């Protein structure tokens, strides 16, 4: 079976992206995001061609529970950067969007001002199904945006599955947005997420909320004292802002810049990026190994029964693991 | 090549263990911990034989940085349980002990009183090299202790590598010991560890330390408010104790018991154990797959060069992963 030829010409797209054409960048990303078999090889060629021109942006991850004001923050913060002459690309990692039709940027009009700015490129979440698939496409989309000359990448995610860990593994600096309030509001904070963040930002620090935002900041500062920083040499900070009034945004920009200067100075910035790439290779390889193992017919047919025996306490896990592994290696060993 | 016969008779050992003989339990554990090839099959038979008689203890994991007083706590807490008529087994998971000659129970005399109690069984860390190896032996040792009728298992670990996560994955309830004090004392708390704990215990709540211990407890309670519980339905608690004066130990016992009653009542206790067994099968299988992959000669010879290309930004991670996977599957596909 031969795949029909791709609609895309990767060489022409690469040239257009490198020339900074937003229209061709959009088309390049459509190729990257394509699930069609015929598009896989052109997409690979496109990414290879763009790769040497990537790496020159500041990659900023942004997360926070629904309702925290991520879209408003990105709209306000991104617009401010654009007005200063920076070119800003906004991406999203949201494996849930194909199911729920998305809380992340499902509605592009929420970023009306930013989307309309000539320095901005706003791309909604790719429809990719699994987190792994979405993440792969998003990483390649980042390469394309960087090759197109964007200075800042804002990568947004909601707390679905492991999506924050995934985003943390592809960015330079990670922001956790939090809302003012106490008690039940905090239940949305996922396990381990506080320790992924370089900057915590208390949103909606405006009007009647101001006093509560400051109190919340104080509390969070104390909590941070007990948690480990995700970034060697950097002590996570708590800031507040109002996307509505535009306050606090300059300070956030300054702290991100201080982070960048410090991390580039101590060499960790590029060490982290190198480690991220290698981790990515490793996780791609491991995922492929495990998935080919689990889809092996003998494994697939024996696994449920063995798991049931282990679950019922009739079989110890070590023996179960050995029997499952025997299913897999037998066809090769037996030849 | 045929292995020489094992010195051990698994049937006789199993009978001795089930009859509650501490001497034969010790010998059974020596078989389980053996790295000798000839002992592997007898060890497997022993574990299979004991498995149906296991599962009746409360498995308690205990961690904390060096200096927090883990040994003193286990000595005091374990002795108290023994005096109440409970049979207590103490194990340790310490992959570092083979290198450092061990901070975990390397010196058995630190638990002199407990070791001497007729209801106690104290076993130092197995020498097993890797965490995976030590963990496997420890899990099987737990099965042996349960089959021998111990009511409470105390599994101690120091914060080396992933050892807390490993211990969390084999126990019912997890205690994090913390010392009174502030600032630099806290630097030893590892990433994510606070969110593994069902109970936080501030140690050395005695003499001049009392006021500071209470203040520390208050702070920790506030911090917990921002973190997720590792156990559905249970809100982690902060307690204080003095191993020296014996205060607070009864309350810790009561809270562990409340945890058990609640978790057995809501069904999570056995669901967690079942999930732990299945996770263990999965991680054994994944480790074996990855290790056989990485030791494949073609993979081993190409991996460094591919990783270097990725690190230098000359090759994208997706292409690198594909080339590595091609090394591995080729010999089979090509036949």
């Amino acid at each position: 079976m031969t795949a029909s030829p791709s609609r895309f010409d990767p060489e022409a797209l690469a040239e257009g992206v490198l020339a900074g054409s937003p229209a061709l960048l959009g088309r390049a990303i459509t190729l990257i995001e394509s699930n069609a078999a015929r598009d896989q090889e052109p997409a690979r060629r496109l990414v290879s061609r763009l790769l040497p021109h990537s790496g020159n942006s500041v990659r900023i991850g942004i997360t926070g529970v629904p309702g925290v004001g991520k879209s408003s923050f990105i709209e306000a913060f991104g617009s401010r950067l654009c007005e200063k002459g920076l070119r800003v690309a906004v991406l999203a990692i949201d494996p849930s969007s194909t199911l729920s039709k998305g809380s992340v940027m499902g509605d592009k009009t929420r970023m009306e001002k930013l989307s309309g700015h000539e320095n901005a490129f706003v791309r909604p979440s790719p429809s990719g199904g699994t987190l792994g698939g979405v993440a792969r496409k998003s990483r390649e989309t980042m390469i394309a945006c960087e090759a197109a000359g964007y200075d800042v990448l804002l990568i947004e995610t909601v707390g679905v599955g492991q999506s924050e860990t995934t985003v943390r593994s592809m960015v330079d600096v990670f922001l956790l947005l939090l809302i003012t309030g106490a008690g039940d509001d905090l239940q949305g904070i996922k396990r381990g997420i506080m320790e992924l963040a370089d900057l915590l930002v208390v949103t909606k620090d405006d009007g009647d909320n101001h006093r509560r935002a400051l109190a919340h900041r104080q509390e969070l500062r104390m909590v941070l004292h007990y948690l480990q920083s995700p970034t060697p040499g950097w002590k996570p900070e708590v800031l507040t802002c109002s996307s509505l009034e535009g306050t606090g945004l300059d300070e956030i920009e300054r702290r991100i810049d201080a982070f960048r200067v410090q991390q580039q100075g101590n060499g960790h910035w590029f060490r982290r990026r190198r480690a991220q790439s290698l981790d990515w290779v490793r996780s791609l390889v491991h995922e492929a190994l495990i998935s080919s193992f689990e889809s092996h017919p003998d494994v697939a047919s024996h696994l449920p029964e063995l798991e049931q025996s282990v679950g019922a306490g009739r079989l110890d896990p070590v023996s179960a693991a050995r029997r499952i592994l025997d299913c897999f290696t037998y066809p090769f060993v037996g030849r």
Side-chain angles (χ1 to χ4, degrees), chain A:
Chain A
M1 195 182 88
T2 316
S4 42
S6 172
R7 305 164 285 160
F8 298 95
D9 173 356
E11 289 303 320
L13 283 178
E15 272 180 50
V17 169
L18 292 170
S21 154
L24 287 170
L25 173 61
R27 208 166 146 72
I29 296 173
T30 303
L31 171 56
I32 288 168
E33 292 178 355
S34 168
N35 288 320
R38 61 181 178 178
D39 291 332
Q40 301 311 303
E41 181 54 26
R44 201 196 57 72
R45 274 163 51 208
L46 171 67
V47 172
S48 291
R49 179 83 178 73
L50 297 178
L51 188 68
H53 304 277
S54 68
N56 293 316
S57 80
V58 177
R59 303 164 183 170
I60 304 174
I62 298 166
T63 193
V65 297
V68 77
K70 283 191 297 297
S71 296
S72 309
F73 173 78
I74 290 171
E75 164 96 340
F77 187 64
S79 298
R80 182 157 301 223
L81 298 178
C82 286
E83 279 151 26
K84 290 183 176 176
L86 291 165
R87 298 187 67 206
V88 177
V90 181
L91 312 172
I93 305 259
D94 181 9
S96 70
S97 66
T98 43
L99 301 173
S100 65
K101 292 301 163 200
S103 46
V104 168
M105 302 201 302
D107 182 7
K108 238 189 176 181
T109 56
R110 285 187 300 163
M111 293 190 196
E112 227 165 24
K113 188 179 159 202
L114 183 59
S115 302
H117 200 289
E118 58 168 358
N119 283 346
F121 181 83
V122 178
R123 184 83 186 184
S125 181
S127 53
T130 67
L131 179 54
V134 172
R136 184 182 68 70
K137 292 169 184 177
S138 299
R139 283 179 194 260
E140 298 188 344
T141 297
M142 287 167 66
I143 289 170
C145 291
E146 289 182 339
Y150 286 90
D151 306 296
V152 178
L153 306 187
L154 301 177
I155 297 110
E156 179 187 7
T157 190
V158 284
V160 175
Q162 286 293 302
S163 66
E164 296 93 345
T165 312
T166 302
V167 171
R168 167 77 270 186
S169 76
M170 53 176 79
V171 298
D172 302 312
V173 57
F174 197 62
L175 270 60
L176 170 60
L177 306 191
L178 296 150
I179 27 173
T180 305
D184 290 348
D185 296 336
L186 297 167
Q187 299 306 309
I189 301 184
K190 277 177 59 187
R191 169 185 304 282
I193 198 168
M194 300 262 289
E195 282 176 300
L196 295 177
D198 300 301
L199 290 175
L200 278 66
V201 177
V202 178
T203 57
K204 303 184 185 176
D205 174 14
D206 39 42
D208 292 348
N209 260 332
H210 179 62
R211 194 179 292 270
R212 283 200 290 162
L214 294 188
H216 195 41
R217 185 178 64 183
Q218 274 313 108
E219 269 197 4
L220 287 166
R221 282 181 174 161
M222 217 208 66
V223 172
L224 280 185
H225 178 67
Y226 286 86
L227 301 179
Q228 283 233 333
S229 168
T231 304
W234 177 258
K235 274 180 83 74
E237 300 178 1
V238 192
L239 305 167
T240 71
C241 79
S242 165
S243 304
L244 195 67
E245 298 177 356
T247 50
L249 300 172
D250 282 337
E251 180 64 9
I252 293 169
E253 191 193 342
R254 275 195 294 273
R255 298 316 299 154
I256 292 174
D257 213 51
F259 178 92
R260 184 186 59 74
V261 168
Q262 184 213 64
Q263 293 289 305
Q264 290 184 346
N266 67 19
H268 182 64
W269 185 272
F270 295 105
R271 271 200 302 279
R272 166 177 259 156
R273 283 191 174 186
R274 193 187 145 91
Q276 286 176 337
S277 295
L278 293 176
D279 283 347
W280 190 19
V281 175
R282 223 161 284 133
S283 74
L284 285 166
V285 167
H286 293 178
E287 271 168 33
L289 280 177
I290 289 163
S291 118
S292 80
F293 176 78
E294 286 176 352
S295 60
H296 186 285
D298 288 348
V299 174
S301 69
H302 286 90
L303 197 57
E305 165 203 330
L306 286 167
E307 289 194 334
Q308 208 174 3
S309 299
V310 170
R314 288 192 306 270
L315 183 66
D316 66 288
V318 175
S319 303
R322 204 173 43 178
R323 286 197 209 167
I324 295 169
L325 287 163
D326 283 349
C327 294
F328 187 56
T329 50
Y330 174 75
F332 305 121
V333 173
R335 283 183 197 184

